Amino acid sequence: MGEILLEVATDVPFGHGVPAQLGISGDALNVAAAAAAAGARTALLAVLPDDDLGRAVAARIAELGISTELLKFRPGQQGVYLVHCDPDGQREFSYARSGSVGSTLGPDDVDPDVFAAAGAVIAGGIACAISASSRAAVYRAAEVASRFVFDPNYRPRLTSVENATAAVIELAPRAFLVTPSFPGETSALLGASSPAEAAGKLRSLGTANVAVTCGAEGIQLESDTESAWIEAIPAPAVVDQTGAGDAFVGTLTARLVLGDSFPEAARYGAAAASLVVGGKGGTGFIPGFEQTRAHSLGLQPLGTRGLETPEGELSSHA
Protein backbone atom coordinates (compact mmCIF):
# COMPACT_ATOMS: atom_id res chain seq x y z
CA MET A 1 0.00 0.00 0.00
CA GLY A 2 1.16 3.54 -0.70
CA GLU A 3 1.54 6.23 -3.34
CA ILE A 4 2.23 5.59 -7.03
CA LEU A 5 4.33 8.21 -8.81
CA LEU A 6 5.01 9.17 -12.40
CA GLU A 7 8.78 9.00 -13.00
CA VAL A 8 10.65 11.27 -15.43
CA ALA A 9 14.25 10.06 -15.63
CA THR A 10 17.26 11.54 -17.39
CA ASP A 11 20.92 10.53 -17.63
CA VAL A 12 22.09 14.15 -17.73
CA PRO A 13 21.66 17.03 -15.26
CA PHE A 14 18.26 18.71 -15.26
CA GLY A 15 17.82 21.38 -17.91
CA HIS A 16 15.59 22.58 -20.70
CA GLY A 17 15.38 20.21 -23.64
CA VAL A 18 17.24 17.28 -22.07
CA PRO A 19 16.05 13.82 -23.17
CA ALA A 20 14.04 11.93 -20.55
CA GLN A 21 12.19 8.65 -20.15
CA LEU A 22 8.69 8.44 -18.69
CA GLY A 23 8.01 5.62 -16.26
CA ILE A 24 5.78 4.62 -13.36
CA SER A 25 7.34 4.01 -9.97
CA GLY A 26 7.11 4.85 -6.27
CA ASP A 27 8.12 2.63 -3.38
CA ALA A 28 4.74 0.88 -3.12
CA LEU A 29 4.73 -0.12 -6.78
CA ASN A 30 8.37 -1.19 -6.73
CA VAL A 31 7.73 -3.40 -3.71
CA ALA A 32 4.58 -4.92 -5.20
CA ALA A 33 6.30 -5.63 -8.52
CA ALA A 34 9.14 -7.42 -6.77
CA ALA A 35 6.72 -9.47 -4.65
CA ALA A 36 4.75 -10.51 -7.73
CA ALA A 37 7.90 -11.47 -9.62
CA ALA A 38 9.09 -13.47 -6.61
CA GLY A 39 6.02 -15.71 -6.95
CA ALA A 40 3.40 -14.22 -4.63
CA ARG A 41 -0.14 -13.31 -5.57
CA THR A 42 -0.02 -9.56 -5.03
CA ALA A 43 -2.43 -6.63 -4.94
CA LEU A 44 -1.80 -2.91 -4.51
CA LEU A 45 -3.85 -0.45 -2.46
CA ALA A 46 -3.31 3.04 -3.89
CA VAL A 47 -5.30 6.02 -5.14
CA LEU A 48 -5.00 7.07 -8.79
CA PRO A 49 -6.52 9.99 -10.72
CA ASP A 50 -9.82 9.24 -12.41
CA ASP A 51 -8.59 10.12 -15.90
CA ASP A 52 -6.58 8.76 -18.83
CA LEU A 53 -3.33 9.03 -16.89
CA GLY A 54 -4.75 7.06 -13.98
CA ARG A 55 -5.92 4.33 -16.33
CA ALA A 56 -2.47 4.22 -17.96
CA VAL A 57 -0.86 3.82 -14.54
CA ALA A 58 -3.34 1.04 -13.71
CA ALA A 59 -2.46 -0.71 -16.97
CA ARG A 60 1.23 -0.68 -16.01
CA ILE A 61 0.39 -2.11 -12.60
CA ALA A 62 -1.49 -4.98 -14.25
CA GLU A 63 1.39 -5.48 -16.71
CA LEU A 64 3.68 -6.07 -13.74
CA GLY A 65 1.52 -8.98 -12.61
CA ILE A 66 -0.16 -7.07 -9.76
CA SER A 67 -3.89 -7.21 -9.11
CA THR A 68 -5.66 -3.87 -9.61
CA GLU A 69 -8.74 -4.85 -7.58
CA LEU A 70 -7.77 -2.69 -4.59
CA LEU A 71 -6.99 0.48 -6.59
CA LYS A 72 -9.11 3.57 -5.92
CA PHE A 73 -9.83 6.23 -8.58
CA ARG A 74 -10.62 9.81 -7.54
CA PRO A 75 -10.43 13.29 -9.07
CA GLY A 76 -7.03 14.80 -8.36
CA GLN A 77 -3.46 15.35 -9.49
CA GLN A 78 -1.03 12.52 -10.13
CA GLY A 79 2.21 12.81 -8.16
CA VAL A 80 5.41 13.12 -10.22
CA TYR A 81 9.15 12.99 -9.58
CA LEU A 82 12.10 13.81 -11.79
CA VAL A 83 15.35 11.94 -11.32
CA HIS A 84 18.83 12.36 -12.74
CA CYS A 85 20.84 9.19 -12.26
CA ASP A 86 24.16 7.75 -13.39
CA PRO A 87 25.72 4.26 -13.16
CA ASP A 88 27.66 5.23 -10.01
CA GLY A 89 24.37 5.70 -8.21
CA GLN A 90 24.57 9.46 -7.82
CA ARG A 91 20.95 10.59 -8.01
CA GLU A 92 19.18 13.93 -7.89
CA PHE A 93 15.43 13.92 -7.21
CA SER A 94 12.83 16.65 -7.61
CA TYR A 95 9.25 15.95 -6.50
CA ALA A 96 5.87 17.42 -7.42
CA ARG A 97 3.57 15.51 -5.11
CA SER A 98 2.16 17.94 -2.53
CA GLY A 99 -1.59 17.31 -2.28
CA SER A 100 -1.43 14.47 -4.81
CA VAL A 101 -4.39 12.18 -5.30
CA GLY A 102 -2.23 9.38 -3.91
CA SER A 103 -1.94 11.22 -0.60
CA THR A 104 -5.73 11.04 -0.13
CA LEU A 105 -5.41 7.36 0.85
CA GLY A 106 -7.20 6.96 4.18
CA PRO A 107 -8.15 4.38 6.80
CA ASP A 108 -11.56 3.85 5.20
CA ASP A 109 -9.74 2.53 2.12
CA VAL A 110 -8.34 -0.37 4.17
CA ASP A 111 -10.67 -3.36 3.90
CA PRO A 112 -10.14 -5.25 7.18
CA ASP A 113 -11.27 -8.58 5.74
CA VAL A 114 -8.85 -8.37 2.80
CA PHE A 115 -5.94 -7.23 4.95
CA ALA A 116 -6.55 -9.86 7.62
CA ALA A 117 -6.65 -12.60 4.98
CA ALA A 118 -3.47 -11.51 3.19
CA GLY A 119 -0.28 -13.43 3.92
CA ALA A 120 1.44 -10.09 4.54
CA VAL A 121 0.76 -6.37 4.16
CA ILE A 122 3.67 -4.06 3.31
CA ALA A 123 3.73 -0.33 4.02
CA GLY A 124 6.48 2.25 4.29
CA GLY A 125 7.50 5.45 5.97
CA ILE A 126 6.76 7.44 2.82
CA ALA A 127 3.07 6.56 3.08
CA CYS A 128 3.20 7.75 6.68
CA ALA A 129 4.84 11.03 5.65
CA ILE A 130 2.76 12.27 2.70
CA SER A 131 -0.44 13.08 4.64
CA ALA A 132 -2.23 12.55 7.94
CA SER A 133 -4.89 10.40 6.26
CA SER A 134 -2.30 8.18 4.59
CA ARG A 135 -0.50 7.73 7.90
CA ALA A 136 -3.81 6.77 9.52
CA ALA A 137 -4.34 4.22 6.73
CA VAL A 138 -0.97 2.62 7.50
CA TYR A 139 -1.78 2.49 11.21
CA ARG A 140 -5.15 0.91 10.42
CA ALA A 141 -3.46 -1.68 8.21
CA ALA A 142 -1.05 -2.54 11.01
CA GLU A 143 -3.99 -3.13 13.34
CA VAL A 144 -5.87 -5.54 11.07
CA ALA A 145 -3.12 -7.31 9.08
CA SER A 146 -2.19 -10.84 10.03
CA ARG A 147 1.45 -10.01 9.26
CA PHE A 148 2.44 -6.36 8.89
CA VAL A 149 5.74 -5.39 7.25
CA PHE A 150 7.15 -1.87 7.67
CA ASP A 151 9.99 -0.29 5.73
CA PRO A 152 10.89 3.00 7.49
CA ASN A 153 12.14 4.54 4.20
CA TYR A 154 12.95 7.82 5.96
CA ARG A 155 13.00 10.86 3.64
CA PRO A 156 14.09 14.10 5.41
CA ARG A 157 12.49 16.25 2.70
CA LEU A 158 9.10 14.64 3.37
CA THR A 159 8.95 14.51 7.15
CA SER A 160 10.80 15.41 10.33
CA VAL A 161 13.00 12.96 12.16
CA GLU A 162 10.64 13.27 15.13
CA ASN A 163 7.59 12.22 13.10
CA ALA A 164 9.46 9.40 11.37
CA THR A 165 10.71 8.11 14.72
CA ALA A 166 7.19 8.28 16.15
CA ALA A 167 5.91 6.13 13.27
CA VAL A 168 8.57 3.48 13.91
CA ILE A 169 7.81 3.41 17.64
CA GLU A 170 4.07 3.16 16.95
CA LEU A 171 4.33 0.43 14.32
CA ALA A 172 7.24 -1.70 15.54
CA PRO A 173 5.23 -3.52 18.25
CA ARG A 174 2.66 -4.60 15.64
CA ALA A 175 5.16 -5.57 12.95
CA PHE A 176 5.99 -9.04 11.73
CA LEU A 177 9.01 -7.53 9.97
CA VAL A 178 10.80 -4.16 9.93
CA THR A 179 13.54 -3.36 7.39
CA PRO A 180 15.57 -0.26 8.35
CA SER A 181 18.73 0.77 6.52
CA PHE A 182 22.13 1.28 8.16
CA PRO A 183 23.55 3.75 8.94
CA GLY A 184 21.12 6.51 7.89
CA GLU A 185 17.80 5.30 9.28
CA THR A 186 19.14 3.32 12.19
CA SER A 187 21.11 6.30 13.45
CA ALA A 188 18.42 8.95 12.89
CA LEU A 189 15.37 6.98 14.01
CA LEU A 190 16.75 4.50 16.52
CA GLY A 191 19.94 6.16 17.78
CA ALA A 192 21.79 2.95 16.94
CA SER A 193 25.46 2.89 15.95
CA SER A 194 25.52 -0.66 14.57
CA PRO A 195 23.16 -2.99 12.70
CA ALA A 196 23.01 -5.34 15.68
CA GLU A 197 22.09 -2.49 18.03
CA ALA A 198 19.34 -1.33 15.67
CA ALA A 199 17.92 -4.84 15.41
CA GLY A 200 18.04 -5.22 19.17
CA LYS A 201 16.12 -1.98 19.72
CA LEU A 202 13.38 -2.99 17.30
CA ARG A 203 13.14 -6.44 18.86
CA SER A 204 12.82 -4.81 22.29
CA LEU A 205 9.89 -2.78 20.94
CA GLY A 206 8.17 -6.01 19.97
CA THR A 207 9.06 -6.52 16.29
CA ALA A 208 9.11 -10.24 15.46
CA ASN A 209 11.71 -10.12 12.68
CA VAL A 210 14.25 -7.44 11.70
CA ALA A 211 16.33 -7.16 8.54
CA VAL A 212 18.82 -4.27 8.72
CA THR A 213 20.08 -3.50 5.22
CA CYS A 214 23.68 -2.30 5.03
CA GLY A 215 24.02 -1.30 1.38
CA ALA A 216 26.78 -3.09 -0.49
CA GLU A 217 27.92 -4.87 2.67
CA GLY A 218 24.96 -7.11 3.45
CA ILE A 219 21.96 -7.61 5.77
CA GLN A 220 21.75 -8.27 9.50
CA LEU A 221 18.85 -10.56 10.46
CA GLU A 222 17.38 -10.93 13.94
CA SER A 223 14.39 -12.94 15.17
CA ASP A 224 13.46 -15.38 17.92
CA THR A 225 15.27 -18.17 16.08
CA GLU A 226 17.74 -16.39 13.82
CA SER A 227 20.74 -14.11 14.22
CA ALA A 228 22.52 -14.10 10.89
CA TRP A 229 24.57 -11.96 8.54
CA ILE A 230 23.69 -12.25 4.84
CA GLU A 231 26.38 -11.06 2.45
CA ALA A 232 25.37 -8.68 -0.32
CA ILE A 233 25.50 -10.04 -3.87
CA PRO A 234 27.47 -8.00 -6.43
CA ALA A 235 25.40 -6.56 -9.26
CA PRO A 236 26.17 -7.81 -12.79
CA ALA A 237 25.56 -4.27 -14.07
CA VAL A 238 24.69 -0.94 -12.46
CA VAL A 239 22.55 1.48 -14.46
CA ASP A 240 20.25 3.02 -11.85
CA GLN A 241 19.98 2.17 -8.16
CA THR A 242 16.37 3.40 -7.87
CA GLY A 243 14.15 0.72 -6.37
CA ALA A 244 16.87 -1.65 -5.13
CA GLY A 245 15.77 -1.42 -1.49
CA ASP A 246 12.14 -1.83 -2.51
CA ALA A 247 13.02 -4.96 -4.48
CA PHE A 248 14.68 -6.40 -1.39
CA VAL A 249 11.62 -5.76 0.80
CA GLY A 250 9.13 -7.10 -1.74
CA THR A 251 11.12 -10.23 -2.53
CA LEU A 252 11.96 -10.96 1.11
CA THR A 253 8.32 -10.66 2.19
CA ALA A 254 6.98 -12.72 -0.71
CA ARG A 255 9.41 -15.56 -0.09
CA LEU A 256 8.62 -15.58 3.65
CA VAL A 257 4.91 -15.83 2.84
CA LEU A 258 5.65 -18.64 0.39
CA GLY A 259 7.43 -20.62 3.12
CA ASP A 260 11.16 -19.92 2.78
CA SER A 261 13.28 -19.51 5.90
CA PHE A 262 14.31 -16.01 6.97
CA PRO A 263 17.92 -16.38 5.71
CA GLU A 264 16.78 -17.97 2.43
CA ALA A 265 14.25 -15.22 1.80
CA ALA A 266 16.80 -12.51 2.63
CA ARG A 267 19.31 -14.07 0.24
CA TYR A 268 16.71 -13.97 -2.54
CA GLY A 269 15.95 -10.36 -1.61
CA ALA A 270 19.62 -9.45 -1.87
CA ALA A 271 19.85 -11.14 -5.27
CA ALA A 272 16.78 -9.32 -6.60
CA ALA A 273 18.10 -5.98 -5.35
CA SER A 274 21.42 -6.49 -7.10
CA LEU A 275 19.68 -7.34 -10.38
CA VAL A 276 17.16 -4.48 -10.54
CA VAL A 277 19.96 -1.88 -10.62
CA GLY A 278 20.71 -3.13 -14.13
CA GLY A 279 17.54 -1.42 -15.40
CA LYS A 280 16.55 2.22 -15.57
CA GLY A 281 13.84 3.43 -13.20
CA GLY A 282 12.09 1.87 -10.24
CA THR A 283 10.37 -0.79 -12.37
CA GLY A 284 12.61 -0.59 -15.43
CA PHE A 285 13.81 -4.14 -14.82
CA ILE A 286 12.14 -6.65 -12.51
CA PRO A 287 13.83 -10.08 -12.58
CA GLY A 288 11.73 -13.22 -12.57
CA PHE A 289 12.20 -15.55 -9.63
CA GLU A 290 14.19 -18.17 -11.53
CA GLN A 291 16.66 -15.46 -12.51
CA THR A 292 16.78 -14.20 -8.92
CA ARG A 293 17.28 -17.72 -7.59
CA ALA A 294 20.10 -18.41 -10.04
CA HIS A 295 21.80 -15.16 -9.09
CA SER A 296 21.47 -15.97 -5.38
CA LEU A 297 23.33 -19.24 -6.05
CA GLY A 298 26.11 -17.47 -7.93
CA LEU A 299 25.04 -18.83 -11.30
CA GLN A 300 25.33 -16.81 -14.49
CA PRO A 301 22.44 -14.31 -14.63
CA LEU A 302 20.01 -14.71 -17.50
CA GLY A 303 20.36 -11.05 -18.48
CA THR A 304 18.08 -8.06 -18.08
CA ARG A 305 15.44 -9.12 -20.58
CA GLY A 306 12.57 -7.30 -18.92
CA LEU A 307 9.85 -8.40 -16.57
CA GLU A 308 9.27 -12.08 -16.07
CA THR A 309 6.02 -12.71 -14.21
CA PRO A 310 5.04 -15.97 -12.57
CA GLU A 311 2.56 -18.12 -14.44
CA GLY A 312 -0.52 -19.83 -13.11
CA GLU A 313 -2.61 -19.38 -9.99
CA LEU A 314 -0.66 -19.05 -6.75
CA SER A 315 -2.07 -19.89 -3.36
CA SER A 316 -0.32 -17.30 -1.18
CA HIS A 317 -0.60 -13.54 -0.95
CA ALA A 318 1.87 -10.74 -0.23
Side-chain angles (χ1 to χ4, degrees), residues 110-129:
V110 176
D111 185 325
D113 293 333
V114 171
F115 275 55
V121 173
I122 307 173
I126 291 175
C128 292

Side-chain angles (χ1 to χ4, degrees), residues 1-310:
M1 62 183 295
E3 183 186 28
I4 312 304
L5 293 170
L6 210 61
E7 174 188 77
V8 181
T10 175
D11 294 329
V12 297
F14 297 144
H16 177 73
V18 302
Q21 176 175 297
L22 185 66
I24 297 165
S25 188
D27 64 318
L29 177 60
N30 302 341
V31 166
R41 211 170 109 220
T42 306
L44 183 58
L45 174 61
V47 184
L48 298 176
D50 188 13
D51 56 20
D52 288 346
L53 179 56
R55 286 185 282 276
V57 173
R60 173 59 174 162
I61 292 170
E63 184 180 274
L64 288 165
I66 304 163
S67 171
T68 60
E69 292 182 13
L70 301 183
L71 294 177
K72 312 293 182 181
F73 294 88
R74 296 174 186 147
Q77 177 179 312
Q78 172 65 45
V80 179
Y81 74 92
L82 289 79
V83 58
H84 159 233
C85 59
D86 62 42
D88 293 329
Q90 300 301 315
R91 294 176 290 167
E92 178 183 1
F93 289 88
S94 180
Y95 289 89
R97 75 195 311 178
S98 180
S100 72
V101 70
S103 69
T104 68
L105 184 71
D108 289 344
D109 295 318
V110 176
D111 185 325
D113 293 333
V114 171
F115 275 55
V121 173
I122 307 173
I126 291 175
C128 292
I130 57 175
S131 71
S133 67
S134 181
R135 180 172 62 252
V138 173
Y139 286 9
R140 176 62 173 153
E143 290 174 357
V144 300
S146 59
R147 282 187 284 190
F148 179 74
V149 177
F150 185 64
D151 180 9
N153 223 341
Y154 172 52
R155 296 292 184 267
R157 287 192 293 176
L158 276 181
T159 188
S160 67
V161 67
E162 292 80 11
N163 285 342
T165 300
V168 171
I169 292 172
E170 173 75 20
L171 294 168
R174 308 173 188 177
F176 167 73
L177 170 67
V178 177
T179 60
S181 65
F182 174 84
E185 289 175 353
T186 56
S187 173
L189 307 184
L190 296 168
S193 58
S194 71
E197 183 184 2
K201 288 192 172 188
L202 286 166
R203 292 275 295 138
S204 70
L205 288 170
T207 303
N209 304 280
V210 181
V212 183
T213 58
C214 304
E217 300 300 317
I219 307 107
Q220 179 66 46
L221 306 181
E222 295 290 342
S223 70
D224 285 338
T225 58
E226 296 286 349
S227 181
W229 174 258
I230 305 298
E231 294 287 345
I233 301 174
V238 179
V239 175
D240 180 1
Q241 296 189 39
T242 302
D246 301 330
F248 170 78
V249 174
T251 303
L252 167 62
T253 304
R255 296 313 305 178
L256 286 172
V257 168
L258 292 168
D260 291 341
S261 70
F262 198 13
E264 287 173 330
R267 180 75 177 172
Y268 291 138
S274 80
L275 287 172
V276 301
V277 300
K280 183 182 293 185
T283 61
F285 173 65
I286 305 294
F289 180 65
E290 285 308 310
Q291 185 173 1
T292 295
R293 188 181 69 82
H295 190 44
S296 75
L297 297 172
L299 304 178
Q300 183 66 33
L302 302 177
T304 54
R305 298 189 310 238
L307 174 72
E308 298 176 19
T309 55

